[in-house]
Amino acid sequence: MRAQLLAATILSALTVTSASAMVVLSDDKGGKMEEYTARFQQMRNSGETVAIDGTCLSACTMVLGLVPRNRVCATPNAVLGFHAAWMYDNSGNRVASASGTRDLMETYPAAVRAWIERNGGLKPNMMYLRGRALAAIVAPCDKASHSASTASAKRVGAVRQSLGKDTPRASFDAR
């Protein structure tokens, strides 16, 4: 009984610690959907809060559907960029992926899907969500808690690996 109580106390302390962590998405240009799915599922499972503070493009926008809505906020600097999913064909050319785009749309919450549809749907070119339209879909970050916690927050996206021309990098990988 004592061991169970001790284990429950430790688990509770660990949960509170991880739930209070904040990840700041900034200058994130996106990448492969599978990698972002794994990354955001890990954030969801860890209890981390996500603040979008800068650009969050392409697969980065999947955070809106993979981390609970009450744990995602956007600062006035936030800009989300959406486009159709793509992959490389056998010749190395970038081509649109209808199935990848469907998967991407299914990831988004209804409000995001509705905004995308009102703006012509996902196309190869980037479309941007910011300002009042973004605040209507994603809760604005609380200024007091955002400034206090971002000082010690884990920033994600500002440092990107340089990819060569021949390196496969796509929103959707058909493998």
Side-chain angles (χ1 to χ4, degrees):
M1 178 77 164
R2 260 187 165 170
Q4 289 174 334
L5 184 57
L6 179 60
T9 303
I10 292 171
L11 182 60
S12 176
L14 290 174
T15 303
V16 171
T17 303
S18 66
S20 63
M22 177 177 280
V23 174
V24 178
L25 296 178
S26 177
D27 302 321
D28 192 318
K29 294 178 178 42
K32 293 182 179 180
M33 290 170 53
E34 295 86 352
E35 292 170 7
Y36 277 77
T37 298
R39 177 173 152 194
F40 292 141
Q41 285 175 341
Q42 182 179 6
M43 287 179 192
R44 178 189 63 218
N45 295 339
S46 72
E48 292 174 312
T49 300
V50 178
I52 304 168
D53 184 32
T55 56
C56 174
L57 308 177
S58 190
C60 176
T61 62
M62 293 171 61
V63 69
L64 300 176
L66 296 173
V67 175
R69 183 179 177 163
N70 65 338
R71 293 197 344 244
V72 177
C73 68
T75 72
N77 299 325
V79 177
L80 278 70
F82 301 85
H83 66 82
W86 55 271
M87 62 184 180
Y88 289 107
D89 65 12
N90 292 337
S91 302
N93 298 314
R94 194 170 123 165
V95 295
S97 169
S99 64
T101 300
R102 272 191 308 275
D103 292 345
L104 186 58
M105 284 294 284
E106 289 174 7
T107 302
Y108 296 134
V112 174
R113 288 193 310 267
W115 179 85
I116 290 170
E117 291 303 323
R118 281 194 309 274
N119 287 277
L122 292 178
K123 296 183 172 97
N125 293 332
M126 193 76 68
M127 57 195 286
Y128 297 95
L129 175 60
R130 62 179 70 144
R132 288 183 184 166
L134 175 58
I137 296 173
V138 179
C141 295
D142 174 349
K143 289 179 184 176
S145 68
H146 175 69
S147 27
S149 57
T150 53
S152 62
K154 177 171 54 172
R155 291 194 81 78
V156 178
V159 179
R160 303 298 298 173
Q161 179 182 2
S162 177
L163 298 173
K165 184 176 185 247
D166 297 331
T167 305
R169 180 179 180 276
S171 293
F172 178 75
D173 190 353
R175 285 185 252 174

